[in-house]
Amino acid sequence: AGSDAAGIKSTVVPADDGGWILNGGKAWITNSGVADYYIILAKTAPAAGNKGISAFIVPKDAEGLPIGKFEDKMGMRGGDTSELTADALLGSLGMGFKIAMQALDGARISIGAIAAGLAEHAMTIAKNYANERTAFGKPIGKFEGIQFKFADMSAEIRAMELMTYDTARMKAEGKRHTLEAAQTKLFSGVHCTQICLECQQVLGGNGYSKEYHVERFVRDAKLLEIGEGTNEILRMLIGGTVLAQK
């Protein structure tokens, strides 16, 4: 279903033995084939919309649950991503959509942490390079144009970290944080990609070489603007929520 979480087409019906029969599939599953258990969302009451979605815990070796093809991804190649084509109920019937949304809130906080760490790593490599690489008789880090890049990058990384910690605190305290998690994810994903591109620019031609790793960070960062809700979906969520506030 992708970003349209309520548009799930997979179905589950009761089996004669008291269990359940699942029919459906899902692409782009992180760590599919690695995890031992899967939480699978499917329609138990298709006519009920998002209230007809339930969540099931399914072991990896369940009969009729084959692991599909593994994606040859642009970035984040250290994590396996594949598809599943497909008797334990998680929560109660009809609670699947709520469970999925709660999981998304937490995952979006994680994106903030990933983005901050990835951007900081890229900036460290670029900083070391800028202090060592000389041009026109001095390190390129002495030039105003390069210094301005690091001023912006360091401020944006700090903002990512503070947003992530603040939203994580809200989650830990049991407070509603759907808006804040979406804001954290949107801000962090966009700025992480831009920071990695700026770091690549600092390295010049070497930034295009795999030797310095920054090109990989650029590829990895782009996923943070897509996974766990695209930038476009998040802007709709954030904008609609803010406009509805009184």
Side-chain angles (χ1 to χ4, degrees), residues 33-226:
V34 177
D36 292 324
Y37 292 90
Y38 298 87
I39 297 176
I40 297 180
L41 303 181
K43 290 282 185 71
T44 45
N50 60 26
K51 294 183 179 180
I53 299 172
S54 300
F56 296 81
I57 297 178
V58 182
K60 177 181 180 179
D61 58 357
E63 184 179 355
L65 188 70
I67 306 299
K69 70 180 181 70
F70 285 85
E71 301 292 343
D72 188 9
K73 299 178 295 184
M74 166 183 164
M76 294 290 184
R77 298 173 68 88
D80 287 328
T81 302
S82 67
E83 61 185 21
L84 286 171
T85 52
D87 55 5
L89 179 63
L90 179 64
S92 57
L93 286 174
M95 290 293 291
F97 187 77
K98 182 177 180 180
I99 291 170
M101 293 302 98
Q102 290 173 340
L104 265 179
D105 287 346
R108 287 168 179 168
I109 299 172
S110 298
I111 293 294
I114 294 169
L118 181 57
E120 185 174 15
H121 193 173
M123 189 177 73
T124 298
I125 292 175
K127 180 175 68 175
N128 293 337
Y129 186 88
N131 285 330
E132 296 171 1
R133 172 78 165 90
T134 59
F136 304 100
K138 59 183 178 181
I140 62 173
K142 296 295 184 180
F143 291 99
E144 190 178 70
I146 299 298
Q147 292 174 351
F148 282 8
K149 291 182 186 295
F150 284 93
D152 290 340
M153 291 191 293
S154 63
E156 288 161 0
I157 290 172
R158 184 164 184 260
M160 285 188 227
E161 292 174 344
L162 292 173
M163 289 181 74
T164 300
Y165 279 121
D166 182 60
T167 310
R169 176 187 54 79
M170 294 178 68
K171 178 178 173 62
E173 293 176 354
K175 296 179 180 178
R176 181 73 182 269
H177 56 281
T178 297
L179 172 61
E180 291 78 9
Q183 291 170 331
T184 299
K185 197 269 185 190
L186 175 63
F187 181 90
S188 300
V190 169
H191 285 286
C192 180
T193 299
Q194 189 57 45
I195 287 170
C196 289
L197 285 169
E198 289 284 22
C199 290
Q200 190 177 41
Q201 190 73 16
V202 170
L203 269 67
N206 285 327
Y208 210 66
S209 168
K210 291 186 176 181
E211 178 183 354
Y212 288 84
H213 302 295
V214 176
E215 60 82 29
R216 174 168 63 86
F217 298 158
V218 171
R219 292 186 284 107
D220 287 349
K222 187 58 187 174
L223 180 61
L224 304 182
E225 298 188 66
I226 299 171

